[in-house]
Amino acid sequence: MITSYTDHILCTHIIEWNYEIETASGQDRLKTDAARVDDVYYYEAQRMVIASGDPGDSDRPDFDNLDSCQNNAAFCCFAQDRQAGDNNGNCNTPYENNCIDKNPADNSNICYIDHARSSDANHVHDGFTIYGDLKSGNEAIEGSIHCHGWTWGEDPLHPDNIYKGNLKYFVSMYDHLTQRGYARNIPGSPMCDCAENVSECFCVLYLYVD
């Protein structure tokens, strides 16, 4: 099982890829800067098992260790589109004018976030954020949010369990970041995590089971 290469990608470059916007001269181009994501997908993720977490860290309930997810489910939510020309979201060229704070395809509603459930990611000990207008009762005020979840069974020898780390890489890094250009987390919430660690309320949540 591999961990070092993919962990290096996640830890070293994800912040840069989340915030940079392509320029007219072609600098900060996501397809180019994140080309190693495609390399891992084609040459490693489709040919071997990608570890789902550190076996020595089994008591830590977070996205770095899928084996600790109590509900055998995880998801990623993205708040911004930063890549044009891929038929996903509303980022367009020229980037400087038409790809600033653009939206992904909307498939979810965020109701609230309990910050205590994801304190490792948001560095906030307690508190909550409500994404709704309490006076009018309108819940759809958070803008366009795109979420994608997946689940796996209890049997450690079943393919959906064995390859859950591969699917984690596909959903978080390959399919949504480099293919669709989706980036940025929901404020106060991790971009990806075990289902029980985040308390957003989704009107639509796609569970990817292969």
Side-chain angles (χ1 to χ4, degrees), residues 106-112 131 139-143 145 147 200-204:
D106 189 18
N107 73 347
S108 305
N109 281 348
I110 305 299
C111 295
Y112 76 99
Y131 287 88
E139 296 179 350
I141 69 169
E142 77 287 347
I145 301 297
C147 296
E200 292 102 335
C201 174
F202 308 116
C203 289
V204 178

Side-chain angles (χ1 to χ4, degrees), residues 5-6 9 17 30-47 83 169-170 173-180:
Y5 191 21
T6 51
I9 293 173
W17 295 338
L30 184 61
K31 284 288 189 183
T32 301
D33 294 348
R36 67 180 65 188
V37 173
D38 290 352
D39 290 341
V40 171
Y41 174 71
Y42 287 113
Y43 298 112
E44 299 184 35
Q46 296 194 78
R47 291 170 169 81
Q83 180 170 268
Y169 184 80
F170 176 82
M173 299 297 293
Y174 177 75
D175 183 38
H176 288 84
L177 178 66
T178 62
Q179 301 306 298
R180 309 188 197 200

Side-chain angles (χ1 to χ4, degrees), residues 33-68:
D33 294 348
R36 67 180 65 188
V37 173
D38 290 352
D39 290 341
V40 171
Y41 174 71
Y42 287 113
Y43 298 112
E44 299 184 35
Q46 296 194 78
R47 291 170 169 81
M48 62 186 72
V49 175
I50 293 182
S52 59
D54 181 1
D57 200 18
S58 59
D59 293 330
R60 184 180 180 185
D62 61 17
F63 187 64
D64 291 334
N65 184 26
L66 294 181
D67 290 328
S68 70

